[in-house]
Amino acid sequence: MTRTRKRITGVLLGAVAGCVGVGCVAPAPNQPVALGDPVEQRAMECLKRGVRYEALPSVRAQAIEALEFRGGRDALPWLRNALMDESPGVRFSAGMALGSRRDAVSLPAFQKLLRSPTATDRIVGIYGLHRLGDTSHTSKLAQYLLESRDLSVRSNAALVLGRIGGAGATRVLALALSDTDPNLRANVLEAMAIHGSEYAIDALHASAYGGIGAEETFAINALGLLRKPEFRKLFRLRLENSLHVEAKLAAARALALLGDRRGFDLALASLTYRASEDIEADTIENRTRRVRQLAAQALGAIGDRRALPGLARMMNEANDPRLQVVAAKAVLDIVNRRVVRRAAG
């Protein structure tokens, strides 16, 4: 591990380890963790420390996204403070979270974001105001999606339009299907599918069956969010027959959202997955992290408390703060005995 890598991973690790006084030692393997156990407190503390993680803005954004529907009103000050973060991506995540919560206290901040020279600030300001009832700027999102030369601006506009939904938003999103960036097109399909577009659902269904690698995994995840029982057979087939463990884990999560926990054993074992070779020019480290993240997400959706010890170990001991945050989110999903749906509209 390089000196820089040690610095990046060490800050959040040290922060989590710093709560030893309230019981940060991971529970023993296979021991049940009761409601009210300090593991829940540690998970919330992990997310809050992630919001302040200076070394990597992506970790702050990830922690904010995890707090979007967790932590109740106690999380609001953390989200509001993040609106002043130096990173546009972190400010965007915070604005989306506060907009989804319809946080009226943030109204002046949303109005200020609308006057920002940064396009992503203006986009999330539009979303926040829309959620609070001011739709006078919402039509500008189409311009950001279809005319900006900045991919991040187009992607963020697509995300906001997907959250807002409605026939008008779906029509605008459909126009972006001709975009030159494949990742943006995929995100547009997901947003359209969530709001009932048969074209988008059919396209994702085809990718889930015949996609390659990441495309297959993305499509399964997107279809899983729809919670449609008619896709149960597809998810079971992908869990059993996919050539990629990532797709299997996405299928396990999708099945869990339909009340089917048959992917539990695979997801639990994958918390300690280690890639043995590069695949499609991917690095071992990146694939290892990706599989473990998918495993934690699946376990959070499955909701089986037997997963808490393994997730607690990942939260406390992982050498990557991104894994710590996703583990903390999964812990809260399990402890609260629910999987939080993303808001729309």
Side-chain angles (χ1 to χ4, degrees), residues 54-341:
E54 296 182 0
L56 209 58
S58 62
V59 172
R60 301 200 297 275
Q62 184 183 359
I64 288 166
E65 291 164 8
L67 283 172
E68 184 168 349
F69 300 110
R70 295 165 184 84
R73 300 188 62 83
D74 291 343
L76 287 173
W78 298 83
L79 299 175
R80 291 167 185 157
N81 286 339
L83 282 178
M84 299 179 286
D85 194 277
E86 63 183 16
S87 166
V90 174
R91 296 196 298 271
F92 182 84
S93 295
M96 292 299 291
L98 289 163
S100 294
R101 286 178 174 239
R102 289 190 171 95
D103 181 46
V105 174
S106 296
L107 176 61
F110 289 137
Q111 293 170 332
K112 182 178 179 180
L113 287 169
L114 204 62
R115 301 188 296 272
S116 169
T118 303
T120 54
D121 284 345
R122 298 195 295 274
I123 290 171
V124 81
I126 290 172
Y127 177 68
L129 291 174
H130 181 97
R131 293 285 290 176
L132 291 174
D134 180 357
T135 61
S136 61
H137 306 280
T138 306
S139 61
K140 297 176 185 176
L141 292 171
Q143 180 179 353
Y144 288 117
L145 174 64
L146 302 174
E147 299 180 13
S148 176
R149 295 183 179 182
D150 187 328
L151 175 60
S152 65
V153 170
R154 300 200 305 276
S155 296
N156 287 335
L159 175 59
V160 168
L161 283 166
R163 289 286 188 96
I164 289 173
T170 299
R171 285 194 294 269
V172 173
L173 286 165
L175 296 175
L177 289 174
S178 60
D179 195 277
T180 57
D181 185 82
N183 292 325
L184 176 60
R185 292 198 302 272
N187 290 332
V188 167
L189 282 175
E190 179 185 19
M192 292 173 63
I194 288 173
H195 295 289
S197 166
E198 292 299 326
Y199 171 84
I201 291 172
D202 288 345
L204 290 170
H205 193 270
S207 293
Y209 265 117
I212 300 174
E215 181 182 332
E216 177 188 7
T217 302
F218 177 86
I220 294 170
N221 267 327
L223 290 174
L225 293 176
L226 304 182
R227 295 173 168 81
K228 288 183 174 289
E230 57 261 39
F231 295 137
R232 189 187 305 272
K233 181 179 178 181
L234 164 65
F235 300 147
R236 287 178 177 175
L237 287 172
R238 295 295 82 196
L239 177 62
E240 295 170 2
N241 301 325
S242 177
L243 299 177
H244 308 285
V245 66
E246 294 95 328
K248 287 177 176 286
L249 290 167
R253 179 172 181 258
L255 284 169
L257 295 177
L258 293 173
D260 186 333
R261 299 184 174 190
R262 68 184 60 202
F264 174 78
D265 290 339
L266 172 67
L268 188 63
S270 297
L271 285 180
T272 56
Y273 174 89
R274 177 67 182 171
S276 59
E277 60 181 348
D278 290 352
I279 297 178
E280 299 177 356
D282 205 0
T283 66
I284 291 176
E285 182 179 357
N286 286 341
R287 190 174 192 218
T288 297
R289 181 182 66 250
R290 184 169 64 248
V291 169
R292 292 182 183 182
Q293 286 176 320
L294 287 166
Q297 290 167 358
L299 290 169
I302 290 169
D304 192 319
R305 298 179 66 80
R306 291 177 297 165
L308 287 175
L311 289 167
R313 285 192 294 274
M314 178 184 285
M315 183 176 67
N316 291 337
E317 302 169 9
N319 64 355
D320 189 316
R322 290 165 289 191
L323 290 177
Q324 293 180 308
V325 168
V326 76
K329 175 179 176 292
V331 164
L332 292 174
D333 284 342
I334 294 172
V335 169
N336 293 330
R337 294 182 180 274
R338 63 190 175 94
V339 178
V340 184
R341 290 191 178 194

